[in-house]
Amino acid sequence: MADYHFVYKDVEGATTQWDDIQRKLGNLPEKPAPFKPAPFAPRADADEQPRSKEWLDARDPDELEELEDDLDDDRFLEQYRMGVIRVISVEVWRMRLAELKEAAKTARFGTIQPITGSDFVREVSQAPPDVWVVVFLYKDAIPECGLLETCLEELATKYAETKFVKIISTDCIPNYPDRNVPTILVYNNSAVKGTYVGLQKFGGKKCTPESVALALCHSDPVLNDGQGGNNVMEGVRRKFIEKVVSELETREGEDDSD
């Protein structure tokens, strides 16, 4: 027996004259629009994009090293001349690479790094020979520690080639007495070069970043701003004198107003 329920399906989008009549009578829904795929758009190759200043700024130090090697490669220069590699210009690229590498070098540290007892050997004793390390022993409950830490934070930012770390006193030295906190230990080449217990050598409770810097650099060039000069102490002394003179003038002005 024939199957009268069979429906013949033609190519998608094709219709019959009967379907058209039924649609006009409202017996069939409107014909759906034929499927049209989105136009093909090839994905841009990152290597073919122009190398702008912003693109360079986003590279990390390892990538900058590779890019510098590329600039010395004859094949890179040949591709640049042929237009295969597009950059702002080879000369500008070289200058920008040098600037970024210098900035990365200057920002070697720049903050006070918290460490634990298990970190001490790696972060302090095994620091490179050319790096001075300032170790800040503290306890949160001791007000003098907060005062000294404020000074050290400013110095760490300014002298980014000197490594500053902080550690809870008893994590560094078991049973270290609170009466000796805060304490600063200065390390270089795996050896202790200086020890400062309390705030006395920094000016007591009136200590400033300048007075702390003067004490730290009294015998050794502990602080390094990465500029390659030997005028750190001279700059510290000048700022210290300027600050003292300013405080004296402010005090005299207050006395005169009374």
Side-chain angles (χ1 to χ4, degrees):
M1 183 175 179
D3 184 2
Y4 294 104
H5 298 284
F6 173 78
V7 177
Y8 173 76
K9 292 186 177 180
D10 205 341
V11 179
E12 182 179 359
T15 63
T16 65
Q17 188 176 13
W18 174 257
D19 290 337
D20 294 339
I21 294 172
Q22 294 302 314
R23 285 195 176 91
K24 288 180 179 179
L25 296 174
N27 297 329
L28 287 178
E30 289 297 323
K31 182 176 69 172
F35 172 75
K36 289 185 179 180
F40 174 72
R43 186 170 57 183
D45 188 343
D47 292 335
E48 296 180 357
Q49 299 304 303
R51 307 296 173 82
S52 64
K53 176 179 176 295
E54 292 73 19
W55 185 88
L56 282 176
D57 291 344
R59 302 307 98 190
D60 61 34
D62 291 337
E63 290 174 319
L64 291 177
E65 290 287 349
E66 293 180 4
L67 291 172
E68 189 172 38
D69 293 340
D70 287 342
L71 286 176
D72 295 327
D73 191 335
D74 291 339
R75 290 173 300 174
F76 175 89
L77 295 175
E78 184 62 27
Q79 288 179 320
Y80 168 69
R81 294 189 188 100
M82 295 174 62
V84 177
I85 297 176
R86 294 185 291 166
V87 297
I88 38 184
S89 90
V90 172
E91 293 74 18
V92 172
W93 203 3
R94 286 185 186 276
M95 291 175 59
R96 188 57 185 160
L97 278 173
E99 291 173 1
L100 291 172
K101 288 187 67 178
E102 186 62 30
K105 179 182 176 182
T106 302
R108 193 172 186 178
F109 303 111
T111 60
I112 303 179
Q113 177 185 347
I115 64 172
T116 63
S118 60
D119 301 326
F120 195 90
V121 172
R122 182 182 70 254
E123 298 292 343
V124 179
S125 303
Q126 295 179 351
D130 64 327
V131 174
W132 287 83
V133 185
V134 176
V135 184
F136 174 46
L137 277 59
Y138 73 99
K139 278 283 186 70
D140 286 329
I142 299 176
E144 288 80 1
C145 291
L147 180 60
L148 184 55
E149 184 172 2
T150 300
C151 297
L152 293 176
E153 285 174 345
E154 183 172 327
L155 295 179
T157 301
K158 183 172 183 180
Y159 301 102
E161 285 290 286
T162 298
K163 187 174 186 177
F164 287 78
V165 301
K166 66 177 183 179
I167 181 172
I168 296 173
S169 57
T170 48
D171 284 354
C172 183
I173 306 173
N175 302 316
Y176 192 70
D178 286 354
R179 66 176 178 275
N180 290 344
V181 180
T183 294
I184 285 182
L185 306 175
V186 178
Y187 275 76
N188 179 249
N189 202 15
S190 303
V192 179
K193 300 295 186 178
T195 303
Y196 303 86
V197 178
L199 298 179
Q200 290 78 9
K201 292 185 179 181
F202 304 134
K205 292 185 178 181
K206 294 184 178 180
C207 67
T208 63
E210 291 77 18
S211 65
V212 175
L214 280 174
L216 292 177
C217 294
H218 179 70
S219 301
D220 295 297
V222 176
L223 300 180
N224 184 354
D225 57 8
Q227 300 303 313
N230 297 318
N231 59 349
V232 170
M233 275 298 295
E234 184 61 34
V236 169
R237 288 194 185 96
R238 184 175 64 253
K239 288 189 176 182
F240 181 75
I241 293 172
E242 289 173 354
K243 194 160 192 174
V244 170
V245 171
S246 176
E247 290 177 354
L248 287 173
E249 290 176 346
T250 301
R251 195 177 306 162
E252 289 175 357
E254 292 174 350
D255 292 341
D256 292 341
S257 63
D258 292 340

